[in-house]
Amino acid sequence: MLDYNVRKSNIYVLIVIISSLLLKYFIAPQMAGLNLSLQFLLVFPEILLFLVSAIIYFLITKEPILPTLRLKKIPFKTILIAVGIGICSQPIAILLSLLSQLIFPNNVTQLLKMMNEIPFIYKLIIIAGVPALCEEIFARGVALKGYDDVHIVKASLMNGLIFGIMHLNGQQFLYAFVLGTLFAYMVRVTGSIFTSMIAHFTVNGIQVSMAEIAVKVSELSVKFGETSGQQVPQMGELGLNSLPLNTILLAIISYSMLACLGGGGIYLLLRSLKKTHSFNEKGINETKKVKVFDRYMIILLILFIISIAADLILG
């Protein structure tokens, strides 16, 4: 059965992704020659594609904003759980990123290198704050709302797929899919988008902080003569993603063990989250068989595959 709300959500997602592709392949190259700041080039697409599109969606559909975005207050315990889930997700995200790098180039590393001269607080806002707001409004707000009649597991998996596709990057797809599924599950359990915003900010914030600390440690090493004659590595040159293949394979084994610990921590924290919000997954079933893979979702998948193939071919 084709559900109207799912279809409406999928159409919205498809329009935003098509807009993202147009921006990526046609508009962004033109903007690159305008001598705009890197901060603007990073923040502008997030606001335009995810925040402005949501505003337009509400203006057209007349949907109520608060229940659609699930802007519901959460207790302090839930905040701590969301932060904990973000921390436990870190080794899983890194592991999946490393696995993806065996096939796809890591454009995030180059981006971090370009941001090396930007003050830390601005990096934190751009990489952690803005996505935690704009991307969550898009993915766990408007997009997820259309799946309210779909079972929580299926809805979370579909939302994770949407979250992975919206990055339009093969290297980011796998960990974005997993994190997106987890974030959607948290929002459905708590009924609040603030849980995913906090977890999202935590994941990205830790990445920025780790890279910043690594740069500072390297600078101190050079200052005190521990690496005399060596060039200080830049922010984007640090981390496992920039190392040789044999080192990456060793890192994959190490992070596999850490990911198991992180997964266990997430399981326990999700149990606590369900208990805090009196959520019983066994008591929730679809009232009807809802079709989630409609023609709009199929078109979305085709466009994503073409985009990734084009990136690999063009380098």
Side-chain angles (χ1 to χ4, degrees):
M1 179 178 179
L2 184 60
D3 184 81
Y4 170 75
N5 291 323
V6 170
R7 181 177 60 184
K8 183 170 64 174
S9 177
N10 289 349
I11 291 174
Y12 166 72
V13 170
L14 179 60
I15 292 173
V16 173
I17 297 303
I18 290 176
S19 300
S20 300
L21 289 169
L22 292 174
L23 180 63
K24 176 180 179 180
Y25 291 109
F26 298 101
I27 301 177
Q30 302 300 322
M31 293 177 63
L34 297 179
N35 198 28
L36 299 171
S37 68
L38 179 60
Q39 295 94 315
F40 177 84
L41 292 174
L42 292 173
V43 173
F44 174 73
E46 290 275 334
I47 295 177
L48 178 64
L49 293 171
F50 305 128
L51 194 57
V52 174
S53 68
I55 294 174
I56 295 174
Y57 171 87
F58 287 118
L59 291 175
I60 294 176
T61 63
K62 308 298 181 183
E63 294 283 349
I65 296 177
L66 294 182
T68 299
L69 297 183
R70 295 181 171 90
L71 299 176
K72 173 185 171 184
K73 292 182 179 180
I74 53 177
F76 183 69
K77 181 179 179 180
T78 298
I79 295 176
L80 295 179
I81 293 174
V83 172
I85 290 176
I87 294 173
C88 291
S89 300
Q90 201 64 228
I92 298 175
I94 294 176
L95 172 63
L96 296 177
S97 176
L98 290 172
L99 292 173
S100 298
Q101 192 188 331
L102 297 176
I103 302 175
F104 301 101
N106 187 358
N107 297 327
V108 177
T109 297
Q110 183 62 30
L111 174 62
L112 289 175
K113 181 179 179 180
M114 294 169 60
M115 297 181 66
N116 190 64
E117 300 302 322
I118 298 177
F120 172 71
I121 186 64
Y122 292 147
K123 294 174 191 172
L124 195 62
I125 293 173
I126 293 170
I127 298 179
V130 173
L133 174 65
C134 298
E135 294 179 8
E136 289 305 312
I137 286 177
F138 165 75
R140 256 64 65 182
V142 180
L144 183 60
K145 183 62 178 178
Y147 287 76
D148 276 356
D149 292 332
V150 181
H151 189 274
I152 182 173
V153 174
K154 187 192 295 186
S156 298
L157 288 170
M158 288 301 299
N159 193 261
L161 179 62
I162 290 171
F163 192 59
I165 290 175
M166 62 165 268
H167 284 79
L168 298 179
N169 186 317
Q171 197 273 332
Q172 291 181 282
F173 172 78
L174 190 56
Y175 72 77
F177 166 71
V178 172
L179 292 178
T181 300
L182 176 60
F183 293 165
Y185 192 89
M186 293 167 62
V187 171
R188 285 286 296 263
V189 168
T190 62
S192 174
I193 196 173
F194 293 125
T195 52
S196 62
M197 285 183 173
I198 293 169
H200 194 158
F201 180 87
T202 301
V203 171
N204 289 12
I206 290 175
Q207 287 290 330
V208 177
S209 301
M210 288 173 61
E212 187 75 8
I213 291 172
V215 169
K216 297 302 181 184
V217 170
S218 180
E219 290 175 348
L220 289 174
S221 298
V222 172
K223 181 178 179 181
F224 290 102
E226 296 178 14
T227 56
S228 179
Q230 297 182 14
Q231 183 180 4
V232 178
Q234 302 299 303
M235 183 177 179
E237 297 172 333
L238 297 167
L240 298 172
N241 292 334
S242 59
L243 297 177
L245 180 60
N246 60 333
T247 308
I248 291 178
L249 292 176
L250 179 61
I252 287 175
I253 296 174
S254 300
Y255 272 96
S256 294
M257 294 183 286
L258 292 175
C260 290
L261 294 176
I266 291 173
Y267 173 77
L268 295 176
L269 288 169
L270 284 178
R271 285 187 58 181
S272 178
L273 195 67
K274 291 179 183 179
K275 184 177 180 180
T276 300
H277 293 268
S278 302
F279 181 86
N280 183 10
E281 183 178 326
K282 294 181 179 179
I284 297 180
N285 296 302
E286 286 181 298
T287 56
K288 50 190 176 183
K289 291 295 180 180
V290 178
K291 181 181 178 181
V292 292
F293 270 104
D294 56 15
R295 58 188 175 187
Y296 305 105
M297 184 58 65
I298 293 174
I299 293 173
L300 182 65
L301 286 170
I302 292 174
L303 289 175
F304 176 67
I305 293 172
I306 293 175
S307 173
I308 297 305
D311 287 345
L312 285 174
I313 293 172
L314 298 176

